Amino acid sequence: MGEWQPSSERFPNGIEEVIDYIRSKGMVPGLWLEIEVMGIKCPLASQLPDDWFFTRHGKRVINSDRYHLDFTNPAVRKYADSVVDRLVKQYGVGYIKMDYNITTGIGTDHAADSYGDGLLNHNRAYLKWLDAVFQRYPELVIENCGSGGMRHDYAMLQRHSIQSMTDQTDYVRNGNIAAVGASVVTPEQCAIWSYPLKDGDDEEVIFNMVNAMLVRIHQSGLLNEVTGHRLDLVKEGIATYKHYRDQIPSLLPVWPTGLGQIDDSWFSYGLHGHGEMYLAVWRGVGGVATQSIDLTAYGKVATIKQVYPTNDELISYAVVGNKLAVNFPRERVARLYKVEFK
């Protein structure tokens, strides 16, 4: 961690073999980085002067077995440039998942009036470095993962097109988070994991897919071990998403049943605009089997159609006046609807 060279043990034929295979499938290969950190066991760390790193009282700041690089140092920025250049030019990477799994505390006192001054100077230098990267590679996508969403703000998101919202591993709670994510991050930037489980059922796959289908899909999970109809549901979800994803930046996030809490039994979230709405409805854990969602605030309902999944033998729904009435007879169920207004 810090040298960012491929492991010969993990990639005995070179990392290019994997990257070329991804590209051969018509996809854009990506790699994961923590460009602001260097592992304390990284051989390079012992060769570098202290002014490369955050320091306090003359000692390097250590957190999670990592040092924090100080981007006010031109040599640090030059080194970071060399890493990105190698990934893009040598490996042909078009996507970088930029992580940040460190908590440095109050900052650095190197060449600064205070710890906070040192931290602010680093932040500003890092943003300028990002600007320069995007000037060199305007087509490069850099996701602001930021410790699974713990470090994100709109100074970062002025640059990054995608923000990892959370590393939540409970897919039901991930739905609770997804349903309110657009209240703090624009839907087209808000990336939510969809990770069908190896040994789950159809409803678990559907729930996972709906979690991400009104924001930015982060498709994950052991898809090579998801088979049969469950894999078909993943494909269907992505195919459905492609029909409207280009509209997401122009649609307005709405919450017909209000902003939910982390363990609410029912929750909903929609994207509204131009006489239509895409509406996700979830039943998590607990609660009754029926729910009525009033859509009067958005117009007069003409039709409501379930768009994912298209084949459904479990749930029922109906239009009752200006309300969507749903019956989800079991827990951990989610559906996606398209509402058209008169």
Side-chain angles (χ1 to χ4, degrees), residues 106-162:
I106 55 180
T108 176
D109 61 8
H110 175 72
D113 293 334
S114 65
Y115 301 134
D117 181 51
L119 181 61
L120 180 61
N121 291 337
H122 163 79
N123 288 344
R124 288 170 170 169
Y126 181 76
L127 292 173
K128 288 182 179 178
W129 174 79
L130 272 177
D131 289 338
V133 169
F134 285 122
Q135 285 175 0
R136 294 201 308 279
Y137 307 112
E139 300 301 316
L140 180 65
V141 176
I142 303 180
E143 169 203 331
N144 184 39
C145 179
S147 304
M150 287 195 294
R151 187 187 81 162
H152 70 262
D153 59 66
Y154 270 88
M156 299 289 279
L157 287 175
Q158 282 180 315
R159 282 87 178 169
H160 298 279
S161 64
I162 185 168

Side-chain angles (χ1 to χ4, degrees), residues 48-55 60 70 72-73 76 110:
L48 296 171
D50 287 343
D51 65 4
W52 273 54
F53 305 96
F54 275 27
T55 57
R60 297 181 187 182
D70 188 340
T72 63
N73 186 330
V76 170
H110 175 72

Side-chain angles (χ1 to χ4, degrees), residues 96-293:
I96 295 174
K97 182 179 180 66
M98 198 71 83
D99 218 334
Y100 183 83
N101 295 313
I102 189 170
T103 303
T104 59
I106 55 180
T108 176
D109 61 8
H110 175 72
D113 293 334
S114 65
Y115 301 134
D117 181 51
L119 181 61
L120 180 61
N121 291 337
H122 163 79
N123 288 344
R124 288 170 170 169
Y126 181 76
L127 292 173
K128 288 182 179 178
W129 174 79
L130 272 177
D131 289 338
V133 169
F134 285 122
Q135 285 175 0
R136 294 201 308 279
Y137 307 112
E139 300 301 316
L140 180 65
V141 176
I142 303 180
E143 169 203 331
N144 184 39
C145 179
S147 304
M150 287 195 294
R151 187 187 81 162
H152 70 262
D153 59 66
Y154 270 88
M156 299 289 279
L157 287 175
Q158 282 180 315
R159 282 87 178 169
H160 298 279
S161 64
I162 185 168
Q163 169 69 56
S164 180
M165 192 63 186
T166 179
D167 277 346
Q168 175 63 246
T169 57
D170 181 327
Y171 73 88
V172 176
R173 282 190 157 188
N174 209 30
N176 289 106
I177 294 169
V180 299
S183 66
V184 291
V185 180
T186 60
E188 64 270 23
Q189 290 177 293
C190 181
I192 293 289
W193 291 111
S194 168
Y195 43 87
L197 305 177
K198 174 184 175 181
D199 54 356
D201 60 12
D202 284 4
E203 291 303 325
E204 171 267 317
V205 174
I206 296 167
F207 202 108
N208 261 301
M209 295 305 301
V210 172
N211 285 352
M213 288 176 69
L214 292 185
V215 284
R216 192 79 167 255
I217 293 181
H218 252 182
Q219 192 62 57
S220 186
L222 297 175
L223 292 182
N224 59 311
E225 298 182 10
V226 176
T227 60
H229 184 247
R230 298 178 71 244
L231 186 60
D232 291 338
L233 285 169
V234 175
K235 295 178 181 179
E236 181 189 347
I238 293 174
T240 301
Y241 180 73
K242 289 181 177 180
H243 283 297
Y244 60 81
R245 64 179 176 182
D246 61 323
Q247 302 176 46
I248 291 177
S250 63
L251 299 177
L252 182 68
V254 293
W255 291 271
T257 52
L259 289 173
Q261 302 296 315
I262 189 64
D263 287 320
D264 282 356
S265 55
W266 282 92
F267 43 101
S268 65
Y269 156 60
L271 291 173
H272 178 236
H274 308 298
E276 64 182 16
M277 176 191 294
Y278 290 93
L279 178 65
V281 181
W282 294 265
R283 181 187 176 189
V285 177
V288 297
T290 59
Q291 180 81 341
S292 179
I293 302 171

